[in-house]
């Protein structure tokens, strides 16, 4: 195939066994979200680039390097969404949902786009399923959200450690930021080039740099938890108490900052030990709605990366039986009716579209992973029966069509 007809780098097809894993994940997460009474919302894949620049933060890698940005025909700057929260926040305000009820709980599912170096489980078009809660400041909402994350991990039998941290609020974070910046200046000789550049613009990001010398250099760095104001400290303490009550296993990680600017107070990641990366992540963003022009609205959410989870889950077992109908001779008017009746009874039925001898047809039935072959010749049609063959045992018998059900 000519190179220009292939999918662009980082864009992939999902099919077969991968797609079954994909659906296993999304259907489990949807079932759990339903149980917590989240309502689905579908927002556009394209927004004005400003929506992401404002929310995710101008100084972040996502906005600076990873967004797919393009002009429309009138020169307005649009972007493919790199994450889900910004669009849901925009929709919440634009539809004035805050006027309807004191709080809202939404979930979304769909493709996200980031121009990153592709690697295992990381693509330029990837998929997330995520949830957002608007209008709730209380820490039991944070705890419940983390219990939901734990339920997802348990439901998929995934080994991952939930790490939590608090990033404080408007009142307490600036003092911490100053202390951290001072510290980073002292150790700047040990920082990588990227961190030297971001220690003033975005000092918190230095804390989660993966470069070994940076990790060493920040070991003794001041911790946000030591700078929390009274209210933030109480929020964090209560969160941990509720997590204990709910039996959610977690680990405090004082260097956990997440890559997005909008987080306040609680942040978390569920980190897979096998992959060494976060498979679910999120946190609180209490000022974002207001910064977008909405009323003051505390909020929180999480997103799960479906391709990453796919690396960790088994393919679901087949949960249906396939009936493969094989017509011989001029029996199609009868055969299509048998297939139709079976389908109306809720059976999964494939009517063979290929001719050929019985051996060839049974081979095809095997390729299709059929559980039963329903063989229909002219004798069967005359007698109003079918011959049914159990593909596993090889056992074959004649049955009236009614008996098939
Ligand atoms: Zn605070
Ligand atoms: Zn670094």
């Amino acid at each position: 195939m000519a190179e220009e007809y292939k999918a662009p780098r980082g864009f992939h097809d999902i099919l077969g066994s991968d797609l079954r894993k994909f659906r296993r994940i999304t259907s489990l997460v949807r079932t759990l979200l339903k149980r917590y009474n989240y309502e689905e919302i579908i927002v556009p894949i394209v927004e004005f680039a400003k929506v992401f620049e404002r929310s995710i933060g101008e100084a972040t890698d996502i906005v600076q390097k990873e967004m797919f940005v393009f002009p429309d025909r009138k020169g307005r700057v649009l972007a493919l969404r790199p994450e889900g929260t910004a669009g849901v926040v925009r929709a919440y305000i634009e539809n004035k949902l805050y006027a309807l009820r004191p709080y809202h709980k939404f979930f979304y599912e769909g493709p996200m786009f980031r121009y990153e170096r592709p690697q295992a489980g990381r693509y330029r078009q990837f998929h997330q399923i995520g949830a957002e809660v608007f209008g709730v400041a209380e820490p039991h909402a944070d705890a419940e959200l983390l219990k939901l994350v734990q339920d997802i991990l348990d439901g998929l039998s995934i080994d991952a450690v939930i790490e939590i941290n608090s990033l404080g609020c408007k009142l307490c974070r600036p003092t911490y930021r100053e202390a951290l910046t001072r510290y980073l200046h002292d150790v700047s000789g040990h920082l990588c080039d990227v961190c030297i550049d971001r220690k003033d613009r975005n000092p918190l990001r230095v804390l989660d740099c993966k470069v070994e010398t940076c990790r060493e250099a920040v070991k003794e760095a001041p911790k946000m938890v030591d700078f929390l104001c009274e209210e933030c400290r109480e929020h964090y303490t209560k969160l941990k108490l509720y997590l204990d009550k709910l039996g959610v296993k977690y680990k405090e990680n004082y260097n956990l900052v997440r890559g997005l600017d909008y987080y306040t107070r609680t942040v978390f990641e569920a980190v897979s030990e096998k992959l060494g990366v976060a498979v679910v992540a999120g946190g609180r963003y209490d000022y974002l709605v207001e910064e977008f022009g909405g009323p003051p609205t505390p909020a929180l959410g999480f997103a799960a990366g479906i391709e990453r989870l796919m690396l960790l889950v088994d393919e679901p077992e087949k949960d249906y039986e396939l009936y493969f109908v094989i017509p011989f001779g001029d029996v199609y008017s009868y055969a299509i009716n048998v297939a139709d009746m079976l389908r109306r009874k809720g059976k999964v039925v494939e009517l063979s579209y290929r001719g050929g001898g019985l051996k060839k047809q049974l081979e095809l039935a095997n390729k299709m992973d059929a559980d039963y072959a329903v063989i229909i010749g002219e004798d069967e049609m005359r007698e109003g029966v079918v011959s049914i063959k159990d593909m596993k045992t090889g056992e074959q018998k004649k049955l009236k069509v009614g008996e098939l059900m």
Side-chain angles (χ1 to χ4, degrees), residues 230-334:
E230 194 55 44
E231 277 182 42
C232 285
R233 188 158 355 117
E234 195 188 321
H235 189 276
Y236 190 53
T237 308
K238 280 190 175 163
L239 166 64
K240 290 189 284 181
L241 173 76
Y242 298 146
L243 290 177
D244 291 338
K245 293 266 177 216
L246 285 166
V248 176
K249 289 186 290 299
Y250 64 90
K251 203 174 94 184
E252 288 178 83
N253 174 356
Y254 302 125
N255 288 341
L256 178 63
V257 296
R258 308 283 307 128
L260 294 74
D261 272 3
Y262 53 59
Y263 286 117
T264 50
R265 291 194 175 163
T266 313
V267 285
F268 56 86
E269 282 184 351
V271 181
S272 151
E273 265 175 52
K274 195 173 156 204
L275 301 179
V277 294
V279 290
V280 185
R284 239 180 207 288
Y285 49 94
D286 288 345
Y287 308 126
L288 189 56
V289 173
E290 200 177 351
E291 283 170 11
F292 261 91
T297 308
L300 65 158
F302 76 82
I306 299 174
E307 279 84 353
R308 284 184 178 177
L309 291 171
M310 279 162 64
L311 297 172
L312 300 169
V313 300
D314 297 325
E315 189 181 335
E317 298 200 356
K318 191 174 147 201
D319 59 355
Y320 62 90
E321 290 180 320
L322 175 61
Y323 290 73
F324 191 75
V325 179
I326 303 172
F328 279 113
D330 188 15
V331 296
Y332 279 88
S333 62
Y334 178 63

Side-chain angles (χ1 to χ4, degrees), residues 168-169 172 229 232:
C169 69
C172 51
C229 65
C232 285

